[in-house]
Amino acid sequence: KQEVTQIPAALSVPEGENLVLNCSFTDSAIYNLQWFRQDPGKGLTSLLLIQSSQREQTSGRLNASLDKSSGRSTLYIAASQPGDSATYLCAAAFRGNTPLVFGKGTRLSVIA
Amino acid sequence: GAVVSQHPSRVICKSGTSVKIECRSLDFQATTMFWYRQFPKQSLMLMATSNEGSKATYEQGVEKDKFLINHASLTLSTLTVTSAHPEDSSFYICSARERGGGKGYTEAFFGQGTRLTVV
């Protein structure tokens, strides 16, 4: 069964810290992986997409890496801000046009 | 990025009535759309895959007669919750993936979600 796991489930950090969110997946034959942000009661905002042929993607203070051999992806957030507080979801596509399999998310709180 | 519009964002209905949720891809054609359900503080659970011009594929445990999905065009899919009950109250989100070059598919985009409350 293809599964996506995220740890930790919740994380609280002081403003300004760099932090890493972890995601692991059970099937190394991954097609692509996406990181999303979800604010309470809202939909999903796509942050970064990593294709299976890529090792990392960067957008502003965000950097996502992908290691297929170990079945892991990380989302690095530099210089965290209170506005970064949200739930971060990792999701994998294991074949081309198939639905994403989601992890349970990491709830991030950045304290001012 | 591509835009997926979901409507309504919030709806309250009485038990026994039906509610329709629309999902539109505004600037791309989506041959396939996905419908998810999310319980409070839980992750997204796939309900069904909606294919344009054909019947939807439902995940195990999802009642197809209760959650009617129609994908009439390349830009519109609808989810109708029939004879709604309070336990159907949830957050429903649709998703569509933009087709990339060749055989590839690019990132998935999500609607804003619909908060359904059945009273």
Side-chain angles (χ1 to χ4, degrees), chain B residues 32-70:
Chain B
T32 306
M33 290 186 177
F34 308 100
W35 287 93
Y36 294 84
R37 180 174 182 176
Q38 186 178 34
F39 292 100
K41 297 187 178 181
Q42 298 294 316
S43 190
L44 279 70
M45 293 181 58
L46 180 68
M47 297 176 65
T49 300
S50 167
N51 298 295
E52 187 266 336
S54 63
K55 292 182 179 180
T57 303
Y58 290 82
E59 294 299 299
Q60 190 174 8
V62 178
E63 299 177 57
K64 62 180 182 180
D65 294 330
K66 180 167 189 60
F67 298 99
L68 299 179
I69 291 174
N70 181 276

Side-chain angles (χ1 to χ4, degrees), chain A residues 10-29:
Chain A
L11 180 64
S12 183
V13 300
E15 181 179 6
E17 270 203 11
N18 303 325
L19 59 100
V20 175
L21 306 181
N22 296 292
C23 172
S24 61
F25 43 92
T26 54
D27 188 346
S28 62

Side-chain angles (χ1 to χ4, degrees), chain A residues 2-4 25-27 29-32 92-96 98-99 101:
Chain A
Q2 295 162 336
E3 295 182 342
V4 176
F25 43 92
T26 54
D27 188 346
I30 193 171
Y31 188 79
N32 62 41
F94 291 99
R95 282 186 180 82
T98 55
V101 177

Side-chain angles (χ1 to χ4, degrees), chain A residues 98-111:
Chain A
T98 55
L100 293 174
V101 177
F102 280 83
K104 293 186 176 181
T106 295
R107 290 193 309 279
L108 173 65
S109 296
V110 181
I111 310 301

Side-chain angles (χ1 to χ4, degrees), chain A residues 48-51 54-59 62-66:
Chain A
L48 289 165
L49 166 74
I50 309 178
Q51 300 288 0
Q54 299 172 324
R55 293 192 64 83
E56 66 177 338
Q57 284 286 324
T58 298
S59 175
L62 306 179
N63 176 277
S65 68
L66 176 64

Side-chain angles (χ1 to χ4, degrees), chain B:
Chain B
V3 178
V4 174
S5 176
Q6 188 173 338
H7 178 81
S9 59
R10 192 180 293 269
V11 59
I12 301 173
C13 70
K14 292 183 179 180
S15 289
T17 62
S18 296
V19 175
K20 179 184 286 187
I21 302 170
E22 292 188 348
C23 181
R24 295 179 183 272
S25 57
L26 297 186
D27 50 3
F28 67 98
Q29 293 183 334
T31 55
T32 306
M33 290 186 177
F34 308 100
W35 287 93
Y36 294 84
R37 180 174 182 176
Q38 186 178 34
F39 292 100
K41 297 187 178 181
Q42 298 294 316
S43 190
L44 279 70
M45 293 181 58
L46 180 68
M47 297 176 65
T49 300
S50 167
N51 298 295
E52 187 266 336
S54 63
K55 292 182 179 180
T57 303
Y58 290 82
E59 294 299 299
Q60 190 174 8
V62 178
E63 299 177 57
K64 62 180 182 180
D65 294 330
K66 180 167 189 60
F67 298 99
L68 299 179
I69 291 174
N70 181 276
H71 196 152
S73 75
L74 288 172
T75 59
L76 174 64
S77 176
T78 60
L79 167 67
T80 301
V81 183
T82 63
S83 187
H85 291 282
E87 56 264 33
D88 298 326
S89 299
S90 190
F91 194 59
Y92 294 87
I93 308 178
C94 70
S95 170
R97 185 180 280 118
E98 182 177 23
R99 188 170 189 135
K103 299 179 180 179
Y105 288 86
T106 59
E107 62 189 294
F109 296 95
F110 283 76
Q112 305 93 316
T114 298
R115 171 74 59 194
L116 171 64
T117 303
V118 184
V119 297

